Amino acid sequence: MRFAVYLPNCMNVAAITQPWEQHLTGQDIARVAQTAERLGYSMVFLPEHYLTPTGHVELSGNHYFDATTAQAFIAGATSTITIGSMVTILPLHNPVIAAKSIATLDWFSGGRAQVTVGVGWLKEEYDAVGVPFTKRGRIADETLAAMFELWHSDTPSFEGEFVSFDEVAFGPKPVSRPHPVVWMGGDADAVLRRAARYGDGWAPWLTKPEELPAKMDYLRTQPGFDGRPFSLFYSLAVLSIGQEHAVVDDPNAQFGQSAQQVIDNCCKLAEFGVTDTWVNPPPLNDFDAYLDHMQWVAEEVIPKVD
């Protein structure tokens, strides 16, 4: 199992964000990524939103970044660790510009870009950007197809409902081959079908752990899945977050207090097919305690989980 780190102070969601995070600077967040790299974590990642309707601020907060821009900053502060998003709201991005932004990140980082694609749930956010909310799934599928064409082809050409191009050149290509790692975020069957066709992994949110094997069986039977290596990301932290970021009081949302409890929970997730996880910390007092928890996981848990 691979272990990732969700970068702190990149969102302010009531169900999961801790009070001390709001005091962290960009340099502090970069230090988390540098620490994760030094300790042998596989990836760091962060979310994305462009605005929050006032009616959602209490649960969702208004502290978010443009994912690719923030990833680029973190990539510049590190050397080897993968820099991911969780999630990039792809339909809010122009397909050509998204392809260029992600390829740029991958090129400058030496092939360390990862993107988890989501379609979002905030209609007001779509309305403000001017993207039709009811077409977001179709837009996501077409955007992925257009991005892959630009990344893969020496003579890219695409004709779609939302984007078209022909007789163009696109370079530099991403360093990663055939393209940067792409995961799909979300729980609907449409997400699983999208992951089967385009994805290198799946990151659910509202799915329960025991539901994962059946969902993965469904994914593997969908058109486009060719048996390629495929990741399944799951953290118990999502059990504390409900629809529209509602706070859920689930006693299983923490990995446990003792090293053996954490190890046992990681192994249980592995039995469900999980390949990547984040061990969310218990309530902590400050940033130093957070860094200590990262080191504790790296020393006491990761070596004992296959």
Side-chain angles (χ1 to χ4, degrees):
M1 181 177 284
R2 295 179 295 263
F3 289 77
V5 172
Y6 210 114
L7 292 172
N9 200 30
C10 290
M11 63 179 181
N12 188 15
V13 174
I16 197 170
T17 303
Q18 300 198 28
W20 53 268
E21 293 184 39
Q22 64 183 316
H23 303 295
L24 300 186
T25 66
Q27 292 298 327
D28 292 328
I29 298 169
R31 183 181 170 194
V32 174
Q34 293 163 348
T35 301
E37 182 173 84
R38 175 176 58 81
L39 293 174
Y41 286 86
S42 64
M43 179 171 67
V44 294
F45 53 88
L46 53 96
E48 171 178 274
H49 276 294
Y50 289 95
L51 51 77
T52 308
T54 54
H56 288 286
V57 168
E58 182 177 358
L59 291 177
S60 299
N62 64 353
H63 181 83
Y64 296 91
F65 301 105
D66 172 87
T68 311
T69 304
Q71 287 172 269
F73 173 78
I74 298 300
T78 55
S79 301
T80 59
I81 198 166
T82 297
I83 313 298
S85 67
M86 188 74 76
V87 299
T88 297
I89 309 174
L90 195 60
L92 296 181
H93 297 260
N94 176 279
V96 175
I97 294 174
K100 177 62 73 173
S101 297
I102 296 166
T104 299
L105 168 63
D106 196 65
W107 192 90
F108 271 98
S109 67
R112 293 189 289 130
Q114 185 270 5
V115 57
T116 303
V117 171
V119 299
W121 55 275
L122 281 170
K123 182 179 182 299
E124 297 92 334
E125 187 172 24
Y126 274 80
D127 293 343
V129 179
V131 176
F133 182 74
T134 58
K135 296 182 179 180
R136 67 195 189 282
R138 287 159 50 197
I139 295 172
D141 288 337
E142 188 170 300
T143 298
L144 286 163
M147 289 168 54
F148 280 21
E149 175 69 9
L150 291 166
W151 289 341
H152 298 169
S153 176
D154 292 331
T155 56
S157 177
F158 190 86
E159 182 70 29
E161 178 183 357
F162 305 103
V163 60
S164 299
F165 47 81
D166 192 21
E167 297 184 359
V168 299
F170 181 93
K173 303 293 188 185
V175 172
S176 303
R177 291 290 183 265
H179 50 252
V181 173
V182 176
W183 291 355
M184 302 300 158
D187 303 272
D189 286 349
V191 173
L192 297 174
R193 293 192 293 270
R194 188 173 299 124
R197 185 174 180 183
Y198 296 109
D200 304 298
W202 174 46
W205 168 23
L206 299 174
T207 301
K208 301 302 182 186
E210 60 273 14
E211 299 169 347
L212 294 171
K215 295 271 193 176
M216 286 299 298
D217 286 345
Y218 174 81
L219 185 154
R220 294 187 182 99
T221 65
Q222 298 308 298
F225 189 75
D226 55 6
R228 61 190 175 276
F230 197 87
S231 301
L232 173 56
F233 176 88
Y234 196 90
S235 172
L236 295 181
V238 300
L239 296 175
S240 65
I241 310 173
Q243 290 274 12
E244 300 186 353
H245 291 164
V247 178
V248 177
D249 185 16
D250 189 324
N252 299 309
Q254 291 289 342
F255 272 86
Q257 300 304 311
S258 73
Q260 192 58 54
Q261 286 176 317
V262 178
I263 292 165
D264 290 345
N265 282 327
C266 289
C267 290
K268 187 64 175 178
L269 289 179
E271 292 176 7
F272 289 137
V274 174
T275 61
D276 298 76
T277 194
W278 167 52
V279 177
N280 58 304
L284 301 172
N285 291 327
D286 54 33
F287 183 39
D288 287 339
Y290 178 82
L291 296 175
D292 289 343
H293 180 265
M294 286 177 58
Q295 182 157 349
W296 178 78
V297 172
E299 293 177 352
E300 301 297 330
V301 175
I302 293 178
K304 300 175 184 177
V305 179
D306 293 331

